[in-house]
Amino acid sequence: MELRITKAQKVEGTVRVPGDKSISHRAVMLGALAEGKTTIRGFLPGADCLSTIECFRRMGVTIEREGDLVTVYGKGWYGLEEPRQRLDVGNSGTTIRLMTGIIATQPFHAVLEGDESIAKRPMRRVVGPLREMGAKIDGRQNGEYTPLAIRGGKLHGISYRSPVASAQVKSAILLAGLQAEGTTSVEEPYLSRDHTERMLQAFGIDVQRAGNRVSVSGGQTLRGREIVVPGDISSAAFLIAAVMMVPGSSLVIEQVGINPTRSGIIDVVRAMGGHVEIVNERLVNEEPVADLHVAHAELRGTVIEGELIPRLIDEIPVIAVMAAVAQGRTIIRDAQELKVKETDRIATVASQLAKFGAKVTPTDDGMIIEGGAALVGAEIDSMGDHRIGMAMAIAGLAAEGETTIANAEAINVSFPGFANLLRQITR
Ligand code: SPQ
């Protein structure tokens, strides 16, 4: 599918974005493992989260869905059944890494695999620590790549110091730790998104947290409940950027999750001179939620590094787009994790953004963007990466002439309805 974008005169309106992807995955997983029924409202019906639903159905869990309302009939931790076929995670890194942790505890065998992109993403980051806990996992190149064949069984707790700030690594180990003997703890260099910790608490689990260290003890029971999923700030980020790309624009985005481990985009847009006001803040299922009032301003370059990186890792493609039109230079460093996402996002951002006439220099751990470019419409390829497709569509709003995005169907991974919503708020 191809998406066509033309230069916008104005962006305005009051909108909501689809549910948070990270929270939607976790709600299905914990719901399936819990005792009793879990109702999920505001679920993201994007391709990735639908893959998670399908995987659990294949392990015998009944899951009903009507739009963004999902009902999971939890079977308890050991109620899952051995799947008869391989479990297909599609394009979803979150699905495969978290499920590896869950299946490592089960008294059965399962094989996990996904698409071409998943086949290139590193898995030893979860396979290694799970093996230390006693799990038997095989994969290509000694467990680095899919397919992963898991023979679950009895695990013992470990104290793991993760070399990367990764919520998927942390979550896989904590989920396995819930059924391991003794205590399992994970410490990370910077705090990554903490939705697993918060949702475990919402499901009645005792989670100990201190700084960047989190611990759980084995043998706890999850209790099914109602979960309300806030709008995904990673999706809202594209709309915030749209406002910043088009002078005279303003937008209200209602009901967005503003968990501090995810809200780095707000800090960066503000540091660049943009206006984002947080209104009507409240707590829903342990997750902070608010309405965002966004108004255009001329942006200036900034430096993004260190502890900020995990708080906005998925927003870097669209931050690069804003940086291309900002005044001055933007430097992004400490973001080598971008290389192991759906694509190498350092390379794909640089190659696609350059087509608009932007000046982007890729580096080993990020990129340098010389701002002030006058963008011209371009023929872009999403390269099968949802966030690249959307980021480049936003660049197209400020580019002279027409922009086309090839392979735009990838956007459905996290933001179904993106093109329609963009049409609705632009003129
Ligand atoms: O699920 P997937 O494919 O890994 O999705 C991405 C994305 O852009 O949507 C990354 F490519 O988000 C990850 C995020 O980068 C989702 C996630 C989570 O829900 O736990 C955590 C982050 O990844 P990581 O590797 O830092 O744990």
Side-chain angles (χ1 to χ4, degrees):
M1 191 193 103
E2 190 177 81
L3 179 60
R4 284 171 187 279
I5 305 282
T6 49
K7 186 168 176 163
Q9 304 307 316
K10 202 171 197 175
V11 175
E12 63 184 351
T14 298
V15 293
R16 289 185 185 183
V17 290
D20 187 281
K21 176 158 79 70
S22 297
I23 296 176
S24 296
H25 280 303
R26 287 158 170 81
V28 171
M29 292 180 187
L30 298 194
L33 296 164
E35 308 275 351
K37 186 168 99 175
T38 289
T39 313
I40 310 168
R41 295 180 200 282
F43 175 80
L44 169 66
D48 272 13
C49 299
L50 297 179
S51 294
T52 293
I53 288 187
E54 205 41 49
C55 287
F56 279 90
R57 282 182 175 152
R58 283 178 183 266
M59 290 189 286
V61 182
T62 301
I63 304 176
E64 293 163 358
R65 184 176 74 86
E66 271 178 62
D68 68 357
L69 175 64
V70 172
T71 310
V72 185
Y73 295 90
K75 298 183 86 178
W77 196 280
Y78 291 112
L80 300 184
E81 294 164 14
E82 182 167 65
R84 288 166 181 231
Q85 286 149 341
R86 291 167 176 230
L87 298 173
D88 181 2
V89 305
N91 188 242
S92 177
T94 308
T95 307
I96 193 164
R97 296 207 180 100
L98 272 57
M99 280 197 6
T100 299
I102 293 167
I103 293 174
T105 66
Q106 298 293 329
F108 58 65
H109 164 80
V111 177
L112 304 181
E113 70 179 350
D115 66 8
E116 275 298 300
S117 157
I118 284 293
K120 292 184 205 145
R121 296 180 69 181
M123 296 297 151
R124 211 178 295 136
R125 51 180 57 201
V126 294
V127 168
L130 291 171
R131 282 177 177 163
E132 275 180 46
M133 296 174 79
K136 294 185 182 56
I137 308 175
D138 270 327
R140 283 182 298 128
Q141 294 188 30
N142 190 21
E144 180 65 317
Y145 297 112
T146 60
L148 296 181
I150 308 169
R151 170 153 294 286
K154 283 245 161 296
L155 304 182
H156 52 83
I158 57 168
S159 185
Y160 187 67
R161 198 180 268 253
S162 176
V164 281
S166 159
Q168 294 175 3
V169 171
K170 173 174 62 178
S171 303
I173 299 168
L174 289 177
L175 290 170
L178 283 179
Q179 296 305 326
E181 204 182 292
T183 302
T184 296
S185 55
V186 183
E187 189 173 339
E188 44 187 355
Y190 298 119
L191 190 61
S192 65
R193 64 191 67 189
D194 64 356
H195 303 301
T196 300
E197 296 89 307
R198 288 174 189 252
M199 198 178 290
L200 283 173
Q201 284 172 325
F203 274 81
I205 300 292
D206 179 28
V207 179
Q208 301 293 326
R209 307 181 62 178
N212 298 345
R213 189 181 164 88
V214 51
S215 313
V216 293
S217 48
Q220 300 189 58
T221 303
L222 297 138
R223 303 253 169 249
R225 54 161 303 154
E226 176 168 298
I227 295 287
V228 179
V229 182
D232 197 324
I233 191 167
S234 294
S235 298
F238 296 105
L239 307 185
I240 296 173
V243 169
M244 298 307 153
M245 298 300 283
V246 184
S249 297
S250 65
L251 199 62
V252 174
I253 315 172
E254 295 176 332
Q255 248 173 271
V256 181
I258 54 158
N259 181 317
T261 61
R262 295 285 301 284
S263 60
I265 179 69
I266 296 176
D267 300 353
V268 162
V269 169
R270 284 176 171 168
M272 294 176 86
H275 303 300
V276 184
E277 208 186 326
I278 297 174
V279 177
N280 192 15
E281 192 174 339
R282 62 254 186 216
L283 203 64
V284 181
N285 308 125
E286 316 289 332
E287 290 280 353
V289 180
D291 303 333
L292 303 181
H293 291 211
V294 188
H296 176 84
E298 284 282 311
L299 300 183
R300 53 181 178 270
T302 187
V303 177
I304 303 169
E305 60 187 352
E307 62 87 28
L308 194 49
I309 295 293
R311 298 180 54 230
L312 47 63
I313 187 73
D314 298 338
E315 285 61 79
I316 290 177
V318 82
I319 289 172
V321 168
M322 289 188 279
V325 299
Q327 290 307 312
R329 174 180 293 172
T330 293
I331 300 173
I332 300 170
R333 55 170 84 100
D334 303 327
Q336 53 273 33
E337 276 293 299
L338 289 174
K339 291 183 179 169
V340 292
K341 298 300 181 183
E342 284 80 331
T343 56
D344 172 344
R345 287 180 177 160
I346 296 179
T348 48
V349 166
S351 70
Q352 301 307 302
L353 205 43
K355 294 182 182 172
F356 288 99
K359 298 182 207 75
V360 189
T361 309
T363 63
D364 252 6
D365 66 346
M367 60 193 92
I368 300 168
I369 302 139
E370 301 296 343
L375 304 184
V376 286
E379 286 182 16
I380 299 297
D381 191 341
S382 78
M383 318 285 276
D385 185 334
H386 53 130
R387 302 212 189 273
I388 298 297
M390 288 186 276
M392 298 306 140
I394 299 304
L397 295 178
E400 281 308 326
E402 192 182 70
T403 295
T404 55
I405 316 276
N407 295 313
E409 65 284 345
I411 292 170
N412 290 329
V413 155
S414 65
F415 200 156
F418 171 77
N420 281 343
L421 189 56
L422 205 56
R423 235 169 267 134
Q424 195 186 310
I425 60 171
T426 47
R427 52 182 180 83

